[in-house]
């Protein structure tokens, strides 16, 4: 998506990416808004093409689950910062030792929220855009990352 595409879209069409929990040539899993409400997103793999698609399964989550996801994201960001500085203990990914238990608790809260709302999941085409380098999200800065969702079909 280029700047002209963004200008053509209304502000309401552009959603916020809160977390990027998996990244491979683009965001693959995390939390983003859809029409202003928090949703977990997970990229679908295209078996026929043998590559990641631009189709995502979106599952609504509660504000409490979003809060848990944001706290877990903060823990991961602190780990990533320490890792880049060479200060994260070997094998500590995805959290520093003193935050590991809390991180896994928060991830379980989010996973449970996603599982509880699985029947409300749907498929959408996602176009992610960033004002910074494409890899900034995997270095703990999704702040400039946005997404435009186009709903495809019921899951």
């Amino acid at each position: 998506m280029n700047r002209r595409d963004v200008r053509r879209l209304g502000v309401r069409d552009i959603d916020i990416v809160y977390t990027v929990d998996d990244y491979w040539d683009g965001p693959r899993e995390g939390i983003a808004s859809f029409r202003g409400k928090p949703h977990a997103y997970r990229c679908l793999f295209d078996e026929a093409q043998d590559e990641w698609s631009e189709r995502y399964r979106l599952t609504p989550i509660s504000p409490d689950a979003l809060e848990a996801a944001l706290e877990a994201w903060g823990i991961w960001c602190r780990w990533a910062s320490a890792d880049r500085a060479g200060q994260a203990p070997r094998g500590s990914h995805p959290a520093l030792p003193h935050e590991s238990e809390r991180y896994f608790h928060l991830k379980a809260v989010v996973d449970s929220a996603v599982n509880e709302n699985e029947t409300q999941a749907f498929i959408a085409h996602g176009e992610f855009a960033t004002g910074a380098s494409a890899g900034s999200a995997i270095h703990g800065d999704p702040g400039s990352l946005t997404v435009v969702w186009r709903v495809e079909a019921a899951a």
Side-chain angles (χ1 to χ4, degrees):
M1 179 167 46
N2 63 36
R3 289 180 187 197
R4 185 179 318 158
D5 293 332
V6 170
R7 277 189 242 120
R8 180 177 44 80
L9 295 167
V11 173
R12 290 183 304 245
D13 295 329
I14 300 171
D15 282 297
I16 299 166
V17 177
Y18 296 109
T19 73
V20 178
D21 299 329
D22 189 12
Y23 188 98
W24 183 263
D25 292 337
R28 298 297 165 217
E29 185 175 345
I31 305 295
S33 61
F34 172 76
R35 297 183 180 160
K37 306 246 189 226
H39 285 68
Y41 65 87
R42 177 171 289 181
C43 189
L44 302 177
F45 192 78
D46 185 333
E47 296 290 339
Q49 298 294 321
D50 194 32
E51 63 185 38
W52 291 106
S53 71
E54 291 183 359
R55 297 174 66 232
Y56 293 79
R57 183 177 186 85
L58 273 64
T59 307
I61 61 170
S62 68
D64 288 341
L66 171 60
E67 191 174 312
L70 290 173
E71 185 179 343
W73 176 253
I75 291 170
W76 182 85
C77 288
R78 288 188 290 280
W79 175 87
S81 179
D83 187 57
R84 283 191 305 279
Q87 299 172 344
R90 184 178 212 134
S92 63
H93 181 269
L96 295 170
H98 69 281
E99 294 184 298
S100 185
E101 185 176 331
R102 178 69 178 161
Y103 176 85
F104 288 109
H105 168 75
L106 293 165
K107 292 302 278 184
V109 167
V110 175
D111 290 347
S112 177
V114 171
N115 290 337
E116 286 173 14
N117 293 325
E118 191 62 33
T119 59
Q120 299 172 48
F122 56 94
I123 306 300
H125 179 272
E127 291 183 61
F128 290 83
T130 182
S133 67
S136 66
I138 62 170
H139 294 294
D141 180 23
S144 62
L145 193 59
T146 58
V147 63
V148 175
W149 299 113
R150 303 245 188 276
V151 177
E152 292 186 2

